[in-house]
């Protein structure tokens, strides 16, 4: 059994996987661990044939998304199994929807994409006064490691303001020109309510339509685990009670 220690990102896995797959190391012979936990096998520099290592673009897209899934041991095992089989067994493997590894990777991709969608929908910025400038900060709790995948959207949408998004799975910072990332932080780093909070709550109450309330649909599209991070969520139980009345 070979133990491979990598960083929790696609590029780190790809570098290790390229060397392993060309050595013919099977998926069942590898234990994937986080960097810093020790490693019994290290990559060695070698010449790799581009023809031998060529994989469909669809695999890169699938693997890049699945690499954000919040299950390190499972995702790296599945992705390596797919890569090994694509190279050594079946170049058309991605076309077999019923294959267990394909199904599992697709489910990971779907979960990650949904998490990115929720990331875009449920981030609420708060203004922080900072001497001669102003910065907007937000706290979010993604289910998967989607910070780097989701935050370019905010750079495009709010390019004229400086902001930081803090999460327990990594942080993102925009200085109006460049997006940078930093390690995860605790919830104590969440920004405090600002002077716009009352106006936002008033607006949310005014647009709430009790006649269109579907509680199950609400909880599906607006999962309760996100409620503590959103200012308007404090109104939801009250608005539901009023709607029922």
């Amino acid at each position: 059994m070979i133990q491979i220690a990598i960083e929790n990102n696609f590029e780190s896995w790809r570098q290790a996987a390229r060397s392993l797959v060309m050595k013919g190391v099977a998926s069942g012979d590898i234990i994937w661990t986080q960097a810093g936990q020790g490693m019994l096998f290290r990559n060695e520099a070698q010449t790799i044939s581009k023809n031998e290592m060529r994989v469909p673009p669809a695999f890169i897209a699938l693997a890049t998304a699945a690499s954000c899934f919040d299950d390190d041991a499972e995702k790296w095992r599945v992705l390596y199994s797919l890569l090994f089989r694509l190279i050594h067994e079946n170049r058309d493997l991605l076309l077999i929807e019923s294959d267990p590894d394909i199904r599992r990777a697709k489910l990971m991709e779907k979960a990650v994409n949904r998490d990115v969608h929720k990331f875009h929908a449920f981030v609420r910025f708060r203004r922080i006064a900072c001497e001669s400038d102003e910065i907007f900060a937000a706290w979010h709790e993604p289910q998967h490691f989607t910070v780097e995948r989701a935050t370019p959207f905010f750079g495009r949408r709010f390019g004229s303001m400086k902001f930081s998004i803090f999460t327990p799975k990594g942080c993102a910072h925009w200085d109006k020109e460049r997006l940078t990332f930093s390690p995860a932080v605790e919830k104590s780093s969440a920004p405090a309510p600002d002077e716009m909070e009352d106006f936002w709550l008033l607006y949310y109450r005014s647009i709430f339509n009790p006649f269109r309330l579907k509680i199950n649909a609400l909880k599906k599209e607006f999962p309760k685990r996100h409620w503590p991070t959103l200012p308007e969520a404090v109104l939801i139980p009250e608005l539901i009670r009023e709607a029922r009345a």
Side-chain angles (χ1 to χ4, degrees):
M1 191 65 69
I2 301 171
Q3 184 176 344
I4 305 295
I6 61 173
E7 300 292 337
N8 185 30
N9 60 64
F10 174 73
E11 287 302 324
S12 181
W13 171 82
R14 178 161 67 173
Q15 290 179 19
R18 284 169 65 92
S19 180
L20 291 164
V21 78
M22 292 308 296
K23 288 181 170 70
V25 180
S27 177
D29 296 330
I30 304 172
I31 297 176
W32 298 95
T33 64
Q34 293 183 12
Q37 293 183 351
M39 185 163 55
L40 303 181
F41 174 91
R42 294 185 181 275
N43 281 341
E44 299 175 358
Q46 60 179 315
T47 302
I48 300 175
S49 166
K50 292 183 179 179
N51 290 331
E52 291 177 307
M53 279 301 299
R54 185 176 293 125
V55 294
F59 173 75
I60 300 300
L62 176 63
T64 303
S67 68
C68 300
F69 193 76
D70 187 22
D71 187 336
D72 294 356
E74 176 71 0
K75 67 187 179 187
W76 303 133
R77 181 197 66 77
V78 169
L79 292 180
Y80 184 79
S81 176
L82 286 174
L83 177 63
F84 184 91
R85 295 168 63 199
L86 278 168
I87 298 299
H88 293 287
E89 298 175 9
N90 185 354
R91 304 293 296 185
D92 297 320
L93 178 62
L94 295 181
L95 300 178
I96 306 175
E97 295 285 345
S98 60
D99 182 87
D101 286 339
I102 295 293
R103 289 204 310 270
R104 184 62 183 140
K106 291 283 189 181
L107 287 173
M108 291 182 189
E109 179 186 44
K110 183 177 180 180
V112 166
N113 288 340
R114 178 175 174 80
D115 199 51
V116 169
H117 174 71
K118 298 303 181 187
F119 205 125
H120 293 165
F122 298 147
V123 161
R124 297 290 183 270
F125 288 104
R126 292 180 166 99
R127 181 181 178 277
I128 299 176
C130 184
E131 297 183 357
S132 61
D133 205 349
E134 64 178 10
I135 298 176
F136 292 84
W139 171 260
H140 182 64
E141 296 181 15
Q143 187 173 0
H144 302 286
F145 293 95
T146 49
V147 173
E148 295 190 22
R149 194 172 179 85
T151 50
F153 163 84
F154 297 100
R156 294 191 298 270
R157 185 168 185 178
F158 305 111
S160 62
M161 73 182 200
K162 292 182 179 180
F163 65 75
S164 290
I165 301 176
F166 301 100
T167 91
K169 295 185 183 295
C171 304
H173 314 277
W174 174 255
D175 64 1
K176 297 185 182 181
E177 295 182 359
R178 189 166 59 103
L179 187 63
T180 58
F181 303 96
S182 61
V185 296
E186 300 293 332
K187 193 173 182 178
S188 57
S189 299
D194 62 15
E195 66 272 15
M196 292 299 295
E197 204 94 331
D198 290 341
F199 292 100
W200 173 247
L201 294 179
L202 179 63
Y203 169 75
Y204 187 78
R205 181 184 288 277
S206 69
I207 65 172
F208 182 82
N209 186 344
F211 299 103
R212 300 185 63 182
L213 176 63
K214 296 180 180 180
I215 296 176
N216 291 335
L218 170 67
K219 292 180 178 179
K220 180 180 178 181
E221 295 302 320
F222 192 176
K224 291 190 71 172
R225 66 183 183 82
H226 287 296
W227 291 12
T229 68
L230 298 171
E232 66 268 30
V234 299
L235 296 176
I236 293 177
E238 176 187 349
L239 293 174
I240 290 176
R241 288 195 300 271
E242 292 177 353
R244 285 171 170 166

